Amino acid sequence: MSAVPRSEKPVGRIRRMLDRLSSSQEDLESEELREDTATAGCTRIGDCHDRQIVTVTGTLRTVTLRPRAGVPALEAELFDGSAALDVVWLGRRSIVGIEPGRRLIASGRVSLSRGRRVLFNPKYELRPLGRE
């Protein structure tokens, strides 16, 4: 006989299955992104601090062209399931492949701007579309 009572084993599996069935699509996507972050060996955005050099991964939620001090700047919001981070490419109006829904890995130094985490001109790698 095992040390754990038999009745507790199925409850765990059943509970996880029921939780998954009753979760919203957004919750499921956030969980998948958190797992992807751990698998890729990246830092969770929620754990990033000011002036820290990090490598993060996630999905681009929005991409906008927003000038900063008269210079064109392409801004994107990267979300990894734990928090969001703004990725800004200064002097760029567009970058091929940078579009909402695209997954990417970005590396650079985090800074805080108006209370939000920001990566300026990061090194980045576009992730394949669809399932890997």
Side-chain angles (χ1 to χ4, degrees):
M1 294 189 89
S2 64
V4 178
R6 188 171 187 269
S7 62
E8 288 184 24
K9 289 181 182 177
V11 171
R13 278 183 264 153
I14 292 171
R15 171 59 58 199
R16 284 192 302 272
M17 184 178 70
L18 288 174
D19 286 347
R20 192 151 179 87
L21 289 173
S22 64
S23 295
S24 70
Q25 184 66 27
E26 185 176 329
D27 291 340
L28 294 174
E29 289 172 2
S30 292
E31 181 181 337
E32 182 181 327
L33 288 170
R34 286 190 298 272
E35 289 172 5
D36 186 44
T37 298
T39 304
C42 296
T43 305
R44 288 179 27 172
I45 293 173
D47 296 337
C48 295
H49 303 289
D50 190 29
R51 308 288 301 150
Q52 180 182 9
I53 296 175
V54 297
T55 299
V56 294
T57 186
T59 301
L60 295 175
R61 283 182 161 174
T62 61
V63 178
T64 57
L65 177 62
R66 185 172 300 147
R68 287 181 173 248
V71 176
L74 185 66
E75 289 189 11
E77 182 183 61
L78 184 69
F79 180 70
D80 75 345
S82 66
L85 173 133
D86 292 331
V87 183
V88 179
W89 290 274
L90 297 170
R92 302 296 300 263
R93 294 182 188 280
S94 66
I95 299 174
V96 175
I98 300 296
E99 55 196 28
R102 187 69 188 252
R103 289 189 178 190
L104 66 87
I105 296 174
S107 300
R109 186 177 302 273
V110 174
S111 63
L112 290 177
S113 176
R114 294 182 228 136
R116 291 186 53 94
R117 295 174 185 93
V118 182
L119 276 180
F120 286 101
N121 295 325
K123 293 180 188 174
Y124 67 95
E125 175 185 334
L126 296 172
R127 305 288 300 272
L129 295 172
R131 290 276 177 205
E132 295 177 14

